[in-house]
Amino acid sequence: MPSVPRSSLLPSLTALLLALPYGASAHAIIVSSQPVSGATIDTSAIAIRLRFNSRIDHARSRLKLRAPDGAEQVLTPAADAPADEIDVEAKALSPGAWHLQWQVLSVDGHITRGDIPFNVR
Ligand SMILES: [Cu+2]
């Protein structure tokens, strides 16, 4: 059995362990949103825009709006949005508490999801 000098094996193992958390954290996290979480909006039509810290797979990302009465509506994001963004128009929003529920697949294969509550006056 060939002997591997411990002095050369240990540093590379340590480097690998240190690198792992960074590699795993490339999944998509929201860096800015419109509407902002908790916002109160005056109009019944809004341009929804979610920006992420990494590129996302548009075809496998989902966006849903939950109305004040609990009804859910699937939104179809614009296909020509930038690679790190989801853009979609929402119209005829009745007054009350709404939820924007998003789920995205980032290019590293991880799914992340979240909920952005907002109010329409
Ligand atoms: Cu990830």
Side-chain angles (χ1 to χ4, degrees):
M1 194 172 165
S3 69
V4 178
R6 284 199 145 203
S7 54
S8 71
L9 190 65
L10 268 179
S12 60
L13 203 67
T14 307
L16 179 71
L17 289 174
L18 285 173
L20 278 175
Y22 296 99
S25 69
H27 43 261
I29 292 163
I30 283 200
V31 291
S32 72
S33 76
Q34 191 186 316
V36 171
S37 181
T40 296
I41 292 152
D42 282 315
T43 60
S44 67
I46 54 167
I48 292 168
R49 196 168 119 155
L50 306 181
R51 262 193 62 216
F52 295 87
N53 66 332
S54 71
R55 290 167 53 214
I56 57 165
D57 183 336
H58 283 110
R60 285 186 238 180
S61 298
R62 304 273 172 269
L63 212 53
K64 240 175 16 183
L65 261 185
R66 203 171 83 227
D69 67 2
E72 292 185 342
Q73 172 189 352
V74 175
L75 302 174
T76 306
D80 60 350
D84 62 350
E85 254 183 53
I86 290 183
D87 294 348
V88 64
E89 303 281 325
K91 291 176 193 144
L93 302 182
S94 54
W98 288 77
H99 285 266
L100 176 63
Q101 296 166 330
W102 58 269
Q103 175 179 309
V104 303
L105 177 69
S106 75
V107 287
D108 74 348
H110 291 144
I111 290 174
T112 48
R113 48 179 73 88
D115 183 304
I116 298 170
F118 64 95
N119 294 290
V120 175
R121 208 159 9 217

